[in-house]
Amino acid sequence: MPGQLRTLCGPAQEARENAFRSLFGNIFHQGTRYSASPYAVPFLTRIAVAGPAGARVDALRLLTRLAVDWHDEYDLPLGINTAAWRAAAISPEDARWYDAQIAAETDEEQLKGLREGRAYCAAGHPVDAREGALRSYDAVRAQLPVLLELLGDQDPEIRAKTAYLLGWFPEEAAATLPPLLACLDGERDPVCLATVLVAVGLLADHDPDGQLRHHLDHEHPLPRWAASATALTRLLVAHPVAESGMPPVERIAAELAASGAGAAPESATAHHAGDLHSYTVRSLQLLMGFAEDPNGVIRDIVALSHLEKTGVVPHPLAARTANLLEALFDPADTAPAFAETLVWTPGVAESPGRAAHRRGLPIAAVRLRPPRAVHPWSTRHPPRSPRLRRTVHRRGGPELPLPDPWEPFRNH
């Protein structure tokens, strides 16, 4: 890792690119953060501030991944729930669990795995993926005061990547919101402005001086989308009482529908992996519960020409058919929750429930055997197993319920 970090600052572009790819795989392999990952953060921060032009963008990209993995794929539009993440993470003190299991275990093979896990834990390594990820997240969090100065960088891509990163640290909102809001007046780059708007929407608990509402009338469609997609939608949903002067839900939904009806913009924010159509549908889903005419919002969703390509909701006719079948043969109140049925199977890259969700199928339709009452780490697979971490603790984040892609069409 030290040699790769030094190469990132070297004069040869090809060598820098190769070093970045190697570094990305070494300290962030398929979403897993390792014991070395937090120690790279201060150096990556220095590169982002004063490194070679190409390396600065790469450093910001890697800092974001080290902090939040791919949360922009499933934690929007409401943002990351760090409180749940911290509550779910298992601390190193849980080595005591190993001691109890070792004392009671008689099988030699099981004992070998338990002792390896106990030694790994005692050496100071992360006990599970969530705790390991938090180490990197907090390491990046500690560097935010240094990274804030990049909001005034001459390169719009640096400004946008910085604003994107800041939006994932709600615990630092008091320090990061003022400089983000200061960017709204003078920013001329549409992508950067839209990224700042989304970041403000993810962090704020109100609309400061109506600045978010003001951008609903921006001349460029991307900032208009950003103001409605996350900023105002999230405030309506997460803080409905805090803002009495919000625009009507129908006004926000109309702007989202207009954005979703057109082709995807050539340049967009990095949120939701750049898939603004899927992001738009997710925001419209949230607005349904706050609209005077929720059927109107459903019609906005159904009318989107790109609906079937978003992967967020199924085809409306298929949804209605599934509702009918569920009502006849599989009442929703008897279907087991996904969290209650997830069981890791060796050699399976993703759980059936996750696969069903990815294909647009209702997770409740997946039937798995009842889980055993065991510690989050299998006794046969010590916690250093990245395959187990990636399956049981998906990408190191909090274990929150997956969104129901069928919900907008139920009872309609």
Side-chain angles (χ1 to χ4, degrees):
M1 185 178 74
Q4 291 163 357
L5 287 169
R6 284 191 288 268
T7 304
L8 284 181
C9 300
Q13 179 179 351
E14 183 177 356
R16 289 200 307 266
E17 292 174 352
N18 290 335
F20 175 74
R21 282 193 293 268
S22 298
L23 189 65
F24 200 100
N26 285 343
I27 61 177
F28 181 74
H29 180 64
Q30 297 184 357
T32 299
R33 276 80 107 200
Y34 301 95
S35 54
S37 302
Y39 295 100
V41 168
F43 299 98
L44 291 169
T45 300
R46 296 175 195 172
I47 294 172
V49 172
R56 297 178 67 205
V57 172
D58 287 341
L60 282 169
R61 185 180 298 117
L62 183 50
L63 283 170
T64 302
R65 293 305 175 211
L66 286 173
V68 295
D69 198 348
W70 288 284
H71 279 279
D72 62 351
E73 293 183 12
Y74 49 91
D75 278 351
L76 293 173
L78 294 181
I80 190 171
N81 188 340
T82 52
W85 187 357
R86 294 187 188 281
I90 303 172
S91 73
E93 296 177 356
D94 266 42
R96 294 170 299 184
W97 177 87
Y98 283 101
D99 295 333
Q101 295 296 313
I102 290 172
E105 185 59 63
T106 58
D107 183 89
E108 286 299 323
E109 183 180 354
Q110 298 279 7
L111 277 171
K112 180 181 179 182
L114 286 167
R115 287 168 179 153
E116 288 179 354
R118 178 66 176 83
Y120 184 85
C121 179
H125 295 294
V127 179
D128 71 3
R130 294 166 300 188
E131 196 266 334
L134 273 173
R135 297 187 187 193
S136 293
Y137 179 84
D138 286 334
V140 178
R141 181 185 177 188
Q143 298 296 322
L144 293 187
V146 178
L147 294 169
L148 275 171
E149 66 181 71
L150 296 181
L151 288 175
D153 197 88
Q154 294 183 348
D155 186 344
E157 187 174 10
I158 293 292
R159 298 198 301 272
K161 289 288 189 295
T162 303
Y164 176 81
L165 174 60
L166 294 176
W168 298 107
F169 292 87
E171 296 161 317
E172 297 296 320
T176 57
L177 269 175
L180 282 168
L181 290 168
C183 296
L184 294 179
D185 292 333
E187 184 58 62
R188 295 292 178 264
D189 182 80
V191 174
C192 186
L193 177 58
T195 304
V196 171
L197 286 166
V198 173
V200 170
L202 290 172
L203 298 173
D205 59 4
H206 67 288
D207 184 2
D209 299 324
Q211 294 191 60
L212 301 177
R213 281 166 281 184
H214 169 73
H215 285 86
L216 278 178
D217 298 316
H218 196 276
E219 62 182 2
H220 195 282
L222 189 59
R224 293 201 304 270
W225 168 86
S228 55
T230 282
L232 294 173
T233 297
R234 179 184 174 276
L235 288 179
L236 277 171
V237 176
H239 305 281
V241 182
E243 195 60 50
S244 58
M246 292 286 286
V249 172
E250 288 70 21
R251 167 76 172 88
I252 300 173
E255 186 60 51
L256 285 170
S259 300
E266 294 183 3
S267 298
T269 76
H271 298 91
H272 211 295
D275 182 2
L276 299 196
H277 284 138
S278 294
Y279 197 166
T280 297
V281 174
R282 290 188 185 276
S283 297
L284 285 170
Q285 286 178 297
L286 288 182
L287 289 177
M288 285 178 54
F290 296 84
E292 293 184 5
D293 178 21
N295 287 336
V297 181
I298 291 179
R299 286 191 291 271
D300 287 338
I301 296 175
V302 174
L304 296 180
S305 58
H306 305 277
L307 178 64
E308 295 183 9
K309 298 179 181 179
T310 62
V312 176
V313 293
H315 190 280
L317 180 59
R320 291 183 174 89
T321 303
N323 291 342
L324 176 60
L325 293 174
E326 183 180 271
L328 291 174
F329 303 109
D330 190 13
D333 57 354
T334 64
F338 173 70
E340 298 173 353
T341 58
L342 175 60
V343 176
W344 177 71
T345 302
V348 178
E350 70 176 348
S351 67
R354 166 67 77 166
H357 173 65
R358 177 174 52 77
R359 297 195 304 271
L361 300 174
I363 289 173
V366 179
R367 292 289 182 268
L368 301 175
R369 61 182 173 84
R372 294 178 298 159
V374 296
H375 187 271
W377 290 114
S378 169
T379 57
R380 285 182 292 179
H381 300 275
R384 65 182 177 181
S385 168
R387 181 171 59 180
L388 179 58
R389 282 201 299 271
R390 290 197 302 271
T391 307
V392 177
H393 304 297
R394 292 293 300 183
R395 297 175 177 171
E399 290 185 337
L400 300 177
L402 287 170
D404 181 4
W406 306 88
E407 183 61 30
F409 300 100
R410 295 194 187 281
N411 303 319
H412 292 284

